[in-house]
Amino acid sequence: MRRYHYAIVIVIALLAALVPVATAYRTPDTYSGVTAEEEYDVLFQVSTIDALMLGVYDGTLSFEELEKRGGFGIGTFDHLDGEMIGLDGEYYQVKDDGVAYPVAGNMTTPFAAVTFFDADETISIEDAENYTQFGEYLDERLPSKNVFYAIRIDGTFPYMKTRSVPRQEKPYPLLAEVAVDQTISEFQNVNGTIVGFRSPEFVKGINIPGYHLHFITEDRKAGGHVLDFQIKDMEVEIDVTPDFFIQLPKEGDFYNIDLSQDLGSDLVKIEK
Amino acid sequence: MRRYHYAIVIVIALLAALVPVATAYRTPDTYSGVTAEEEYDVLFQVSTIDALMLGVYDGTLSFEELEKRGGFGIGTFDHLDGEMIGLDGEYYQVKDDGVAYPVAGNMTTPFAAVTFFDADETISIEDAENYTQFGEYLDERLPSKNVFYAIRIDGTFPYMKTRSVPRQEKPYPLLAEVAVDQTISEFQNVNGTIVGFRSPEFVKGINIPGYHLHFITEDRKAGGHVLDFQIKDMEVEIDVTPDFFIQLPKEGDFYNIDLSQDLGSDLVKIEK
């Protein structure tokens, strides 16, 4: 009879323990409306490209926080201190010496776009002589121009041309002025990875329409923002990303700049 | 001694029950990277306004799912079947007879914008003779033109002019063609609520820059998309919304339309 009582108490204990476990599993879904699978198809972005063009370089989100939104992506750093590459959950900072440095969790970003990379399809490219040819070839093969794609290319690139930008001090100059002082790196037959996105035309002002790619070498020691490259017999991994989350700054310069201007032509000059 | 054993078992039971409760509370934060407070400051949007302009009227998200993203907002229905108002967690469908009907959870929307409304500030307006005056007055008092604001106004409006659109059948016409057949409702000294948003200029093509407001009467029986209104001694509740989540359709017409056009001038004609 006493053993029977123990058994009842233990059963109640187990039930009491299980109910909240069930709650915990349901919470992400019922709470935020985002399921695990959906979360992986979100392109998460900090601020807007036009704010960056207008010199809003103060970091607003730490890499510790950014990591929760994805370990694959591109961006820059507080004070515009270089080009960011996120790959396989690690972040790298390519400063204006062209060298890739590790990124501490308490560093911050004023502009970044990340996701959890999970390839939906692979497209083979036999030969692309430059960035433009690459873009035209891929555009013909993607299912739509109206959604986002995360893009990853691993292998040996016959040619790669990257740039990085120098850290800025306040009062911050416009990005077009900074770009004049950019450092160019060129590589031949370099092993490494292209990390980036293709965005629809309608993100104009918010992000870069079309392709925006960064590069890091296989030894994770050099790279930058991709200006041009060649491809010979490589596979392009594509992650279709239908959801787009923009986190705008909650204070600072972002609140006061004029974002109603069309900066499209300046952007093309700076990015390509 | 036996009583002592019972006590240990009960303590273990309580501890076992408490650990997962703590996990449950932490889950939204560690899981999706979104905290409870942040979740409430997200403007969640289905599809883009330009897709709607181009006749993409097939619903892609159920109201059951939309509800998880917020019970306050505006939008339309599958087949463009009327104007949607979300208020205090309830959704209403104003069909082209100007009458508000309840919305079933399995109904779907091709375009909607919702949030969890939680006023950050209140702005008093003594007198606004029309929509334009209202907009100018509020614009001067908002902290920035570069973030999103959810807007709620309860009370007696001296004048209110709304419209609704008729349900469409395939092949869907453009929104500009449908707007010709819109039904206009006019109200004098009407009790009710304005529900809507002010969006930054940079959402052009994605949502409506500036104000986009819908109205529903206090008895929840009539309303629609706001074309014009007057204000006399009313309070405007403002919820600053820095985060913006866009869920694009994953298939269908959206994939094939040309979203690179500038539909801005058509939009102004249709919405005001």
Side-chain angles (χ1 to χ4, degrees), chain A residues 77 81-83 92-102 107 163-166 183 185 223-224:
Chain A
F77 297 86
D81 195 6
E83 308 283 349
Y92 305 93
Q93 178 186 23
V94 178
K95 295 193 189 178
D96 72 333
D97 55 6
V99 177
Y101 298 88
M107 288 168 66
R163 74 105 191 273
S164 189
V165 284
T183 310
S185 302

Side-chain angles (χ1 to χ4, degrees), chain B residues 2-33:
Chain B
R2 256 165 246 146
R3 188 165 294 179
Y4 178 66
H5 277 183
Y6 273 118
I8 289 175
V9 172
I10 288 166
V11 164
I12 290 170
L14 287 173
L15 285 175
L18 279 172
V19 169
V21 165
T23 312
Y25 275 108
R26 259 206 319 275
T27 304
D29 193 7
T30 53
Y31 176 75
S32 70

Side-chain angles (χ1 to χ4, degrees), chain B residues 147-212:
Chain B
V147 292
F148 298 85
Y149 302 97
I151 294 169
R152 176 178 179 152
I153 317 172
D154 294 272
T156 308
F157 297 85
Y159 175 70
M160 176 65 64
K161 182 181 179 183
T162 60
R163 74 104 191 272
S164 189
V165 284
R167 178 187 164 96
Q168 300 299 310
E169 298 301 334
K170 291 190 172 184
Y172 293 134
L174 301 178
L175 191 57
E177 293 160 20
V178 175
V180 176
D181 298 325
Q182 67 187 12
T183 311
I184 306 278
S185 301
E186 288 182 286
F187 308 83
Q188 317 280 344
N189 298 312
V190 63
N191 291 324
T193 302
I194 278 180
V195 169
F197 300 96
R198 187 197 189 283
S199 301
E201 189 62 30
F202 60 74
V203 301
K204 192 178 160 183
I206 295 173
N207 202 320
I208 300 176
Y211 297 90
H212 184 188

Side-chain angles (χ1 to χ4, degrees), chain A residues 70-98:
Chain A
F72 177 95
I74 56 185
T76 185
F77 297 86
D78 186 48
H79 283 69
L80 198 75
D81 195 6
E83 308 283 349
M84 187 275 275
I85 295 110
L87 182 57
D88 297 328
E90 296 292 327
Y91 295 113
Y92 305 93
Q93 178 186 23
V94 178
K95 295 193 189 178
D96 72 333
D97 55 6

Side-chain angles (χ1 to χ4, degrees), chain B residues 121-136:
Chain B
E121 56 174 313
T122 300
I123 296 173
S124 298
I125 299 188
E126 215 177 282
D127 199 41
E129 278 190 32
N130 51 43
Y131 202 150
T132 308
Q133 271 193 13
F134 163 82
E136 286 167 0

Side-chain angles (χ1 to χ4, degrees), chain B residues 43-53 56-61 63 66 73-80 82-85 108-114 175 197 199 203 205-209 212 214 225 244 246-249 254 267 271:
Chain B
L43 172 55
F44 175 83
Q45 176 176 321
V46 178
S47 191
T48 71
I49 189 70
D50 275 12
L52 195 74
M53 300 271 295
V56 181
Y57 304 148
D58 283 338
T60 58
L61 192 75
F63 280 86
L66 189 69
I74 57 186
T76 185
F77 297 86
D78 185 48
H79 284 70
L80 197 76
E83 308 283 349
M84 187 276 275
I85 295 110
T108 60
T109 178
F111 180 78
V114 300
L175 191 57
F197 300 96
S199 301
V203 301
I206 295 173
N207 202 320
I208 300 176
H212 184 188
H214 286 191
H225 172 102
F244 185 39
I246 306 163
Q247 184 174 91
L248 300 175
F254 183 84
L267 183 65
E271 299 302 328

